[in-house]
Amino acid sequence: VIDLPQNEDRLDSESVNEPTQTATKPNLIVSSNVRELLECPVCLNAMYPPIHQCLNGHTLCSGCKPRVHNRCPTCRHELGNIRCLALEKVAASLELPCKYQSYGCVGIYPYYSKLKHESQCSYRPYSCPYAGSECTVVGDIPFLVAHLKDDHKVDMHSGSTFNHRYVKSNPHEVENATWMLTVFSCFGQYFCLHFEAFQLGMAPVYIAFLRFMGDDNEAKNFSYSLEVGGNGRKLIWQGVPRSIRDSHRKVRDSFDGLIIQRNMALFFSGGDRKELKLRVTGRIWKEQ
């Protein structure tokens, strides 16, 4: 049920986008029917000004108007440039819960600022951090930890130090060479250690980096170091773990980790330099 405002003032088309205007609107109880009215029939997303309508009153969003070649998707009538000011005014009066309410967000937001909030909401779910697959699973951190363990069979470790050995018989192969993802539990948080090969120019390189299972503002409370070596030489990397809000590909392509050139990796491996044998050690600590 919608209780419309008592005043009959005209809609100011220049003010509907200003959040300060929507903040003074009366609170409304929004029925599912009203939400359906504000849903574009083409893209099925919520509509924002300018909301267009045909001569028969059917509406659609401004983004979809060019896609339908100026024909109403409901009745095929010509659209023209008619604005549905009444629906825009109703939308400006609404206050809605965040779509991540089921994840814990209790905020209620004006219709026109709700979208911006949701793009930054700290309760929005995380994407699965598993690399090397197109996993589309999303959820909160406890759910993703269980998902990594049960569905991806990822190794789980407790503690803030690690010592891993990576072996590959043919280091020239880099296709689908996401070799390792390990999850560490320490300081009451979870961290993902990645080690993989990728092509840089004409030769494969290897990278190891750490991601934090949480938001970036929390990730900055931690630091980590990685070390790899052999034959009396070593490479050491120290950095800040990246949030899993950043995809593993984004982190990898920014070279934000321990980079090992192939020739150096083979030198560390010893032997006939035809098999990769790397031992990567590291430590995670909390900044004071």
Side-chain angles (χ1 to χ4, degrees), residues 78-247:
E78 187 174 355
L79 284 171
N81 291 303
I82 307 173
R83 288 270 294 276
C84 187
L85 298 181
L87 191 56
E88 290 179 7
K89 186 171 182 178
V90 169
S93 304
L94 301 180
E95 291 186 340
L96 302 172
C98 172
K99 72 176 181 180
Y100 302 123
Q101 188 179 47
S102 61
Y103 289 95
C105 184
V106 296
I108 303 294
Y109 300 92
Y111 184 84
Y112 291 139
S113 61
K114 176 175 174 284
L115 200 62
K116 181 179 180 180
H117 159 77
E118 289 172 347
S119 69
Q120 303 169 347
C121 179
S122 60
Y123 290 95
R124 69 191 190 279
Y126 298 89
S127 297
C128 172
Y130 191 79
S133 71
E134 299 300 324
C135 184
T136 57
V137 169
V138 298
D140 58 17
I141 299 303
F143 173 83
L144 288 181
V145 169
H147 165 69
L148 289 170
K149 180 180 178 181
D150 299 336
D151 298 331
H152 294 297
K153 310 303 180 186
V154 169
D155 288 336
M156 300 284 174
H157 295 273
S158 296
S160 58
T161 60
F162 41 87
N163 186 339
H164 282 282
R165 190 165 178 259
Y166 302 100
V167 178
K168 190 170 180 63
S169 59
N170 185 357
H172 296 274
E173 293 178 357
V174 294
E175 287 296 322
N176 303 316
T178 301
W179 298 342
M180 184 69 69
L181 171 64
T182 308
V183 174
F184 292 90
S185 172
C186 55
F187 307 107
Q189 306 289 346
Y190 290 95
F191 300 83
C192 296
L193 176 64
H194 294 262
F195 184 85
E196 62 183 270
F198 68 103
Q199 197 79 24
L200 183 61
M202 298 300 294
V205 297
Y206 312 99
I207 184 171
F209 57 88
L210 197 72
R211 286 201 292 164
F212 175 74
M213 296 189 70
D215 279 334
D216 186 60
N217 60 332
E218 296 178 88
K220 292 175 181 176
N221 296 326
F222 300 90
S223 295
Y224 74 102
S225 64
L226 296 172
E227 181 177 309
V228 63
N231 291 325
R233 281 86 170 171
K234 68 173 64 174
L235 290 175
I236 300 175
W237 163 266
Q238 181 173 319
V240 176
R242 296 278 287 271
S243 166
I244 60 171
R245 296 284 188 204
D246 292 336
S247 69

Side-chain angles (χ1 to χ4, degrees), residues 41-42 52-61 64-80 82:
V42 179
H52 295 277
Q53 71 173 32
C54 72
L55 292 174
N56 291 325
H58 302 125
T59 57
L60 81 162
C61 72
C64 289
K65 186 172 182 283
R67 297 169 55 189
V68 297
H69 306 291
N70 209 37
R71 290 284 176 181
C72 174
T74 303
C75 67
R76 308 306 300 167
H77 219 286
E78 187 174 355
L79 284 171
I82 307 173

